[in-house]
Amino acid sequence: MRKSIATVSVSGTLAEKLEAIAAAGFDGVEIFENDLLASPLSPEEVRARAADLGLGIDLYQPFRDFEAVDAGTLAGNLRRAEHKFRVMERLGAGLLLVCSNVSPSAIGDDELAAGQLRLLAERAAEHGVRIAYEALAWGRHVNEYLHAWRVVRMADHPNLGVCLDSFHILSRGSDPIGIEAIPGEKIFFLQLADAPLLAMDVLQWSRHYRCFPGQGNFDLTGLVSSALRAGYAGPLSLEVFNDVFRQASVERTALDGMRSLIALEQGLHGEGPPAVPTGFAFAELSGTGEVGGLLGALGFARTGTHPTKPVELWAQGGARLLLNATGADPALLAIGLDGPDPAGAAKRAESLLSPVLPRERAPEDARLEAVAAPDGTEIFFCDDAWLADFTPAAPAPGPITGIDHVALTQPWHHFDEAALFYRSVLGLRPQESLEVPDPYGLLRSRAMSTGDGSVRMVLNLAQVGAADIPWQHVALACDDVLAVARRLRREHPGLLLPIPANYYDDLEARHDVDPALRELGVLYDRDERGGEFLHLYTVTVGRVFFEIVQRTGGYGGYGAVNAPIRLAVQHAAHR
């Protein structure tokens, strides 16, 4: 399908927006009026620039507070409209978005609104322009899409149709199935935006928290499917008001918008990931000295060295970690994911604008393909062939059974992009977004996982000003975290993060727990079904620390209730 985006969805000048939108592969744009008014380019120059870039101008918007007004106001509104039509002729734009009236003086009379919209459509037809009428979720009298359709039907003019906006429909909880009652030829335009579920004024929600499809909680696949069944044949167009997008790189944002539409279109056709990952093959970290010492203390053994690269394999149970000597400070560089079809996973990533990274390899090296996540972490698609690059050796015996999850701190302007990447490219399911108190601000966190929990990722966004540290950590699963803690306290007493006694005073008031937790520095959480989570943290080396976790009773969370304690202790140690 044709793909379009509103210029308000990205940052920059109008000229910069058009260039980035074209480079991302869009077919057309919605010109937001403020972008044109602030541009030194004339409408003719904008038209020519768009044409040179291969972009059609699909819509000009918005035209506000037109219908259901008294005669004096109507005369002024028609004068405004005539000016807009002349501008649109110069732009080469044939469709004008008219929003439902939000003015307190608007009159609640559908016949009056329909008559005035018919008059507007007649004037528009003289300029070769059509009118797409949209019900704003906060419209004074018309705030439901089916109400807007009733008014359009009453007006009965070929140049008047409806614009359907997913945010205005879904934010009000309206059922999109009603779209199928609208003739497809009367659906003039379809605007798409996702959003997180927030309990707030709908106008503020709309103006600041929209996001691209797949980054929020709305069922856009269902809505678009209803529009297609109704016979809609126009573009899928993104209209997103988002404070972060307005400040982020225009090129990255435009590319992310295109990725969201490609993923949405694949979902419409029933195309999901060829095979979701089945587990962690490895996590790769930079640094060998400090990190190697930490792994040795945790019971890992160095089981192999790569023949052509400065990379060591450390293993215990089913957990495999690679240490890369090329990095300076310890940091998480890459994640390897097991799956039945690595080539298919790489191909899907490329279809979603995440190209396979160029890599140097010797002829005898295993062929591993990787893509870059938004924060730069490399994601490898693996089968067992990569293990042949290392001298075969048995992993160390011990209580650690594998990698439970990996947590990555995202740059502030990449958080939503990362959520879309892991959802669309890897097929991970997003969980509820949380905000965790930090001594210097807030930590926003969102977990994503496969349906069976074999791969779990946690995306964190630290909003803590000057104290913001991009920590990353690897959580290792074990069967007996208390035994691990006892050994570490005995053999490596400075290795574990010290937990304040006040935490255990409160914990023991809330739960009947083993007193050994206090002695050993183990944290605890319990879910509503009785599942339990025991975990401990190591000290941080560079940007990296390790978490040892034990899940029982089907516990599926990450101990978020304990995150403020961990953050406070880490900040104190860092300062």
Side-chain angles (χ1 to χ4, degrees):
M1 296 181 68
R2 182 178 173 84
K3 299 176 180 65
S4 186
I5 186 172
T7 55
V8 74
S9 305
V10 296
S11 66
T13 65
L14 181 54
E16 291 169 338
K17 294 180 184 204
L18 293 176
E19 290 175 4
I21 287 167
F26 285 93
D27 305 297
V29 292
E30 304 175 36
I31 299 292
F32 196 70
E33 184 176 59
N34 284 358
D35 287 322
L36 178 65
L37 299 183
S39 175
L41 301 175
S42 69
E44 292 83 1
E45 289 172 323
V46 172
R47 178 179 185 170
R49 181 71 61 88
D52 289 344
L53 293 168
L55 295 172
I57 298 179
D58 293 331
L59 182 79
Y60 187 62
Q61 65 129 325
F63 190 54
R64 302 186 187 277
D65 297 337
F66 172 80
E67 83 291 1
V69 296
D70 59 63
T73 303
L74 177 62
N77 287 347
L78 288 171
R79 283 194 298 272
R80 285 195 296 127
E82 287 290 344
H83 171 73
K84 293 290 189 296
F85 297 151
R86 290 192 293 272
V87 170
M88 292 176 66
E89 286 183 294
R90 297 169 64 192
L91 272 174
L95 187 62
L96 175 66
L97 176 67
V98 175
C99 305
S100 61
N101 202 323
V102 302
S103 171
S105 62
I107 302 167
D109 184 335
D110 284 359
E111 289 189 4
L112 178 64
Q116 293 178 350
L117 284 169
R118 180 179 177 85
L119 180 59
L120 181 67
E122 290 171 350
R123 299 284 186 93
E126 297 172 3
H127 297 269
V129 170
R130 297 186 304 157
I131 303 298
Y133 182 54
E134 173 186 65
L136 295 179
W138 53 90
R140 177 69 171 172
H141 300 292
V142 177
N143 47 43
E144 294 276 359
Y145 75 98
L146 288 176
H147 191 174
W149 164 234
R150 289 196 300 272
V151 173
V152 166
R153 187 172 55 192
M154 289 173 64
D156 190 23
H157 193 281
N159 279 51
L160 178 65
V162 293
C163 173
L164 300 177
D165 183 303
S166 65
F167 181 87
H168 294 303
I169 295 171
L170 299 176
S171 66
R172 294 185 60 88
S174 300
D175 190 341
I177 194 68
I179 294 172
E180 297 180 32
I182 305 173
E185 68 273 12
K186 297 302 285 185
I187 304 174
F188 282 5
F189 209 68
L190 180 60
Q191 293 178 319
L192 300 176
D194 208 337
L197 298 180
L198 300 173
M200 65 185 308
D201 173 75
V202 69
L203 176 59
Q204 295 303 311
W205 188 14
S206 173
R207 287 287 176 260
H208 302 284
Y209 296 100
R210 295 194 193 196
C211 52
F212 291 138
Q215 295 176 336
N217 299 100
F218 289 163
D219 178 15
L220 296 188
T221 301
L223 185 144
V224 176
S225 295
S226 289
L228 295 179
R229 283 192 291 268
Y232 176 69
L236 301 179
S237 189
L238 300 170
E239 187 200 36
V240 174
F241 299 88
N242 185 292
D243 295 343
V244 174
F245 293 2
R246 291 189 182 102
Q247 301 172 66
S249 161
V250 60
E251 292 84 7
R252 288 188 69 136
T253 304
L255 199 67
D256 201 37
M258 175 55 72
R259 178 182 294 118
S260 76
L261 287 182
I262 294 172
L264 175 62
E265 193 170 33
Q266 290 178 347
L268 291 169
H269 297 149
E271 301 174 17
V276 297
T278 57
F280 288 100
F282 61 82
E284 182 175 357
L285 302 103
S286 60
T288 54
E290 286 183 288
V291 181
L294 187 54
L295 290 180
L298 291 174
F300 281 77
R302 185 173 59 188
T303 61
T305 301
H306 197 282
T308 63
K309 298 181 175 69
V311 179
E312 300 171 349
L313 172 61
W314 291 66
Q316 180 181 176
R320 298 185 180 94
L321 299 173
L322 302 181
L323 297 191
N324 191 321
T326 58
D329 295 329
L332 184 61
L333 302 177
I335 299 166
L337 297 175
D338 284 323
D341 185 9
K347 184 177 179 181
R348 175 174 173 81
E350 290 192 298
S351 76
L352 290 161
L353 311 181
S354 296
V356 170
L357 297 171
R359 297 182 64 246
E360 292 184 7
R361 63 167 63 88
E364 65 272 19
D365 291 351
R367 182 174 180 83
L368 287 178
E369 293 185 316
V371 298
D375 67 350
T377 303
E378 295 185 4
I379 306 296
F380 285 84
F381 304 110
C382 304
D383 53 24
D384 290 339
W386 70 275
L387 284 167
D389 285 350
F390 297 88
T391 304
I400 290 175
T401 58
I403 296 176
D404 182 87
H405 65 272
V406 175
L408 302 169
T409 298
Q410 303 297 307
W412 68 272
H413 51 298
H414 294 168
F415 189 84
D416 288 328
E417 183 184 349
L420 176 61
F421 172 86
Y422 288 109
R423 184 175 189 171
S424 62
V425 174
L426 301 182
L428 304 187
R429 301 178 182 179
Q431 299 177 22
E432 182 182 2
S433 185
L434 303 174
E435 288 188 345
V436 177
D438 180 283
Y440 301 96
L442 287 174
L443 181 78
R444 183 181 172 196
S445 183
R446 190 170 200 182
M448 309 189 75
S449 66
T450 53
D452 62 0
S454 58
V455 172
R456 295 182 172 99
M457 309 280 288
V458 179
L459 308 179
N460 294 323
L461 173 62
Q463 300 169 325
V464 292
D468 182 5
I469 303 168
W471 284 312
Q472 303 166 319
H473 79 266
V474 178
L476 303 167
C478 78
D479 293 327
D480 190 348
V481 73
L482 296 183
V484 172
R486 287 191 181 95
R487 184 184 68 78
L488 292 176
R489 290 290 181 195
R490 182 177 64 252
E491 299 177 7
H492 306 279
L495 186 70
L496 299 182
L497 202 66
I499 306 301
N502 293 332
Y503 166 79
Y504 293 102
D505 292 341
D506 179 71
L507 177 64
E508 290 163 2
R510 292 184 291 113
H511 298 293
D512 182 17
V513 296
D514 188 336
L517 300 183
R518 179 192 292 263
E519 172 193 350
L520 298 173
V522 174
L523 297 98
Y524 177 88
D525 188 29
R526 181 185 298 169
D527 64 24
E528 63 278 3
R529 297 182 302 276
E532 295 180 301
F533 188 64
L534 289 84
H535 57 138
L536 57 80
Y537 299 100
T538 71
V539 295
T540 302
V541 291
R543 296 174 54 191
V544 176
F545 63 94
F546 292 92
E547 181 182 9
I548 313 296
V549 311
Q550 179 182 351
R551 300 174 182 271
T552 60
Y555 182 94
Y558 300 84
V561 68
N562 298 323
I565 310 303
R566 185 260 298 174
L567 289 165
V569 176
Q570 285 180 318
H571 276 299
H574 178 75
R575 291 170 68 88

